[in-house]
Amino acid sequence: MRRWLPLLPALLITVGLFGGGLLLSVVQSLGYAPALGQTALNVDAYRALLADHTFWASLGLTAWVATISTALAAVFGTGLALLLHRAGRAAPGHAARLRFLAGLTLPIPHLVAAILTLLLLSQSGLLSRLTLAAGLTQGPQDFPALLYDPRGVGIILELVWKETPFIALNVLAVLSGLDPRLQDVARSLGAGRWSRFTGITLPLVRPALLSSGVLVFAYTLASFEVPALLGATSPTTLPVLAYRAFTDADLNARATAMALSVVIALLGGLLVWAYVRAQAAGRLR
Amino acid sequence: MTAPRRPTTLALGLGVSALLPLALLGTWSFAGRWFFPAPLPTEWSLRAWSAVLAPGAQVWTALWGSVWVATVAALLGTAIALPAARALGGWRGAGRGWVQAALLGPLVLPAFASVMGIQVVFIRLGLADTRVGVVIAHLIPVVPYAVVLLGGVFAGYDPRLEEVARTLGARPAQVWWRVTLPAILPGVLVTGLFAFLVSWSEYLLTLIVGGAQVLTLPLLLFSAVQGGDYAITAVVSLLYLAPTLLVFALVAPRVQGWRT
C-alpha cells in the first residue's frame, strides 16, 4: 500500500481522468446519451461511419499524412543527426551551439509553425512573390497549390519541418555515445561509407529512431491545428472531422464524434502495441 | 581541412531555417500595405502592434488566461508527477512495466479523444467553460511528460543520501527540505518550465473544455489567422512565441525529448 500512495495522484490523472475519459468516449460512441433519453447501446455510429465515403477519404488522408511525414522526418532527422555529429567532432567547441541551433524550432508551437507555413507557401505567400520577382512564375496561379490540397502537402511540409529536429536530436544522443573506433575498424577492413552506415551506424541508432518515430507518428495522427489551418475542407483528417461532429448543433452527432475519437485512439494504440511487442520480442535491438 | 568550414555552413543553414520564419513574422507585424506581388511591404506601420496592445484589447485577457492556466498546470502537474517518478524509479520487480504504461499512456494516445468523452461530466460538475476545468484537462498531457523528465532526474540521484540523514537523526520533513529537494531542484525547475510550455502550447483541449469562455493566446491566434489579417496574426504570434523561445534558451542543455 505504501508503494502505491505516491503513485496515486499521477494515476488518478492518467488512468482516472484520461482512461476514464476514453471509456466515456467509447460508451457515448455506442449511443449512450441519458440527456437525450438514449440508454440502449448500439453500434449505429460505427455502422454509419463505415458506410460513409467522407470517413474513408479522411482515414486515408490521415494515414497518408502521418506515414509520409514520419518517414520523411526520420530520413531527414537521421541525415541531420549525422551532419551534426560529424560537425561536432570536427569542431568540439561548436557542438553545443550546433545542437542549440538545430533545436531552435522545437519550442515553436505547431499552431505558429502552421501560420508560418501559410505566410511562406500559400499562392500569395512570400515564396510565390519571390518566384514571380525572379520571373519563374507569371502570377499566383502558377505557383503550385501546396496548401488546402487533397493530398495534404502543406500539412506534411509543416510536420516534417517541426519533427525533423526532434528525431535528429534523439538520434544524435545515441551517435555521441558510440565508440568512434567501430568506424575505424570497419574502414580498415575496407568498408565504404554506405556499408559503414547500413552495417554499423543504422543498427545502433535504430532503437532511438524507432522510438522517436513512434512518438512522431502518434502525434501527427492526432494533430488538429495543422490540418485545420493548412488542409483542404474535404477531405480533412480524422481529428478535424471529430471536432466538427463534436461541435455540431445536432446533438446526435455526438456519437459520431466519439466514434471518430475512438478510431483515432485505436489507430495510435495499435501502433504502440505493435512497437512494444516487437521490442519485447527483441526484434528492434 | 574542410573541418573548420563545415560546422559554420551547417550552423548558418540551421540558423536561417529557424530564424527566417521569425523574420517573416517580424516583417508582417510592421506591414501597413503588403499586397501581392510585392516581395516587401510597400508601406510600414505600427497599426497591428498598437491595435493588439491597446488598453482593454482582447490580447490582455488571452495573455492572462494563458499565464494563469499554464502556471497552475505546471505547478500542479510537477507536484503530482514528483512522488510518482520517485516511486517508479525505486520500483524493482514485477508490475513496473504496467505502472509505467499506465503513467505514460497519454503521451502516445490522443488526449482530446478522452477530453471529448469526459466533457459531459465536466458540464455536470460545473467545470466546463472554467479555467479550473481547462487546467484539469491540461494535466492529461502535462503529468506523463513531467513523469518522464523527473524520471531522468531521479535516475541520477542517490537515495542513500537520505538514509545517511535519517541515521544522523533527521526527521522526514528535514530530510526532504535539506537533502532531497536541494539535490533534485535543478531538474525539478527544468521540468516545471517544460510543463509550463506543454500547457502553453495546448489549443484543442482548451477549446473543448473552455468553449469560448476561457480565452488563451493560441485561441486568439487561431481566430486571428482565420480572420485573415496577417499583420495582427504576426503580432499575436510573436507575443505567443516570446516566452517559449526564452524558456528554450534557459533549458536548451536538456533539449532532448522535447515535445510540443
Side-chain angles (χ1 to χ4, degrees), chain B residues 234-257:
Chain B
V235 174
V236 180
S237 297
L238 289 170
L239 292 175
Y240 181 44
L241 266 182
T244 68
L245 295 176
L246 188 73
V247 168
F248 178 75
L250 289 175
V251 300
R254 306 226 184 180
V255 70
Q256 224 186 296

Side-chain angles (χ1 to χ4, degrees), chain A residues 52-228:
Chain A
D52 185 4
H53 162 77
T54 317
F55 167 74
W56 289 106
S58 180
L59 179 66
L61 179 69
T62 310
W64 154 256
V65 164
T67 307
I68 203 80
S69 13
T70 307
L72 288 177
V75 172
F76 293 149
T78 309
L80 180 58
L82 288 169
L83 280 176
L84 284 167
H85 182 57
R86 199 181 308 154
R89 281 181 64 193
H94 290 290
R97 202 166 309 149
L98 285 171
R99 224 173 25 239
F100 176 78
L101 284 172
L104 215 49
T105 49
L106 292 178
I108 298 177
H110 273 277
L111 174 56
V112 177
I115 289 168
L116 289 169
T117 312
L118 190 73
L119 297 179
L120 198 63
L121 298 181
S122 78
Q123 285 184 309
S124 59
L126 187 65
L127 212 60
S128 172
R129 293 167 193 234
L130 291 178
T131 54
L132 181 74
L136 296 169
T137 50
Q138 305 302 316
Q141 71 286 347
D142 276 3
F143 192 77
L146 301 173
L147 309 183
Y148 323 122
D149 70 303
R151 284 193 188 79
V153 176
I155 307 170
I156 292 170
L157 288 172
E158 191 278 350
L159 290 169
V160 171
W161 183 69
K162 269 286 291 167
E163 301 298 339
T164 292
F166 171 71
I167 291 190
L169 291 173
N170 275 294
V171 171
L172 180 66
V174 180
L175 284 178
S176 315
L178 294 184
D179 188 340
R181 285 176 299 182
L182 279 172
Q183 297 283 339
D184 299 338
V185 171
R187 200 177 298 128
S188 69
L189 292 173
R193 183 173 279 198
W194 179 248
S195 62
R196 289 205 306 276
F197 173 69
T198 55
I200 300 173
T201 312
L202 200 55
L204 288 170
V205 301
R206 200 164 56 179
L209 191 57
L210 279 168
S211 61
S212 52
V214 166
L215 284 176
V216 169
F217 190 91
Y219 178 83
T220 54
L221 203 61
S223 142
F224 176 82
E225 298 97 303
V226 183

Side-chain angles (χ1 to χ4, degrees), chain A residues 14 18 25 28 129 163 166 219, chain B residues 34 37-38 102 113-114 117 258-259:
Chain A
T14 62
F18 175 70
S25 288
Q28 290 172 73
R129 293 167 193 234
E163 301 298 339
F166 171 71
Y219 178 83
Chain B
W34 194 3
S114 157
W258 183 290
R259 301 289 309 154

